Amino acid sequence: MKRLLFFVFYDKDGIVDTYIDYLLNDFSKSTEKIVIIINGKCNIEGRKLFEKYSSDIFLRENQGYDAGAYKDAIFEYFGLEKMKLYDEVIFMNDTFFGPFYSSQIIFQEMEQRNIDFWGITLQETVDLGYGRLPRYIQSYFIAFRRKVVESHDFKEFWESMGTPKDYLEVCKKFENRLMSFFVTNGEIELKANMK
């Protein structure tokens, strides 16, 4: 399977920790192309580390958290049409620690499943006292198959999201909304095993 990985990095001081080298090294074995998105700044040593894995490095203002970075990468930097050339598009951020065993094992398992999009962890419904957050795939790792990326719904989801202003808006406008949007809209059907 031909995979594209968008990787979002943020550190207030621009320091790229060594676990990111381990993470990207592992995922580079399962992906055709990696696009690095830097939210804010990155020091010289960090930039050199990223250049080991990609010549596509996109520096942007830190606006909208990972959701804003993914959206800008799609529309401002990489382009939706080029994304459609891949069998699977992965959105991953630097809050992913690990993997504890090879990501190739995960990808081999998921290739066997007839699914449209998937993630590694599912946040169950949370009662906030003043309302409930429905369950959602956590945004540090979400993979979309080509069927989804080529759909009108995918483009509409990102265009209509806006730019989240804080973490709660990321949950509301991106993570929570993603599940309900693709499960209830048009040609997209959620088939992943959510247990």
Side-chain angles (χ1 to χ4, degrees), residues 36-178:
I36 309 284
I37 309 153
I38 299 169
N39 271 356
K41 58 186 174 180
C42 178
N43 66 18
I44 293 168
E45 294 80 11
R47 179 77 182 214
K48 285 179 184 173
L49 186 149
F50 286 143
E51 288 171 353
K52 284 173 38 180
Y53 300 103
S54 181
S55 59
D56 284 298
I57 300 174
F58 173 38
L59 179 65
R60 64 184 292 276
E61 286 186 51
N62 182 26
Q63 295 181 343
Y65 297 79
D66 56 351
Y70 297 148
K71 181 179 178 179
D72 281 356
I74 294 167
F75 296 112
E76 304 296 327
Y77 181 73
F78 192 78
L80 186 55
E81 289 309 308
K82 285 198 290 184
M83 290 171 61
K84 295 176 183 178
L85 301 174
Y86 295 87
D87 300 311
E88 192 162 68
V89 177
I90 300 154
F91 294 94
M92 184 169 79
N93 69 40
D94 62 359
T95 63
F96 189 129
F97 292 93
F100 297 108
Y101 53 89
S102 172
S103 63
Q104 293 173 298
I105 296 168
I106 299 168
F107 286 120
Q108 287 168 3
E109 165 67 25
M110 298 310 287
E111 274 184 35
Q112 307 307 311
R113 299 190 188 194
N114 182 24
I115 53 177
D116 298 318
F117 66 98
W118 59 280
I120 292 179
T121 55
L122 181 71
Q123 172 63 53
E124 288 296 342
T125 302
V126 177
D127 188 348
L128 301 171
Y130 55 85
R132 293 169 59 102
L133 278 177
R135 70 182 188 164
Y136 61 88
I137 295 173
Q138 293 182 321
S139 66
Y140 71 88
F141 183 98
I142 302 175
F144 296 93
R145 297 277 164 85
R146 184 183 305 198
K147 174 184 175 184
V148 178
V149 175
E150 290 178 337
S151 72
H152 172 74
D153 288 341
F154 186 79
K155 184 172 187 276
E156 181 185 334
F157 173 81
W158 293 102
E159 286 179 336
S160 63
M161 181 182 71
T163 302
K165 304 288 187 280
D166 55 37
Y167 179 71
L168 196 57
E169 276 198 20
V170 170
C171 291
K172 183 179 175 184
K173 293 183 175 182
F174 175 51
E175 289 180 320
N176 295 145
R177 185 170 163 260
L178 185 140

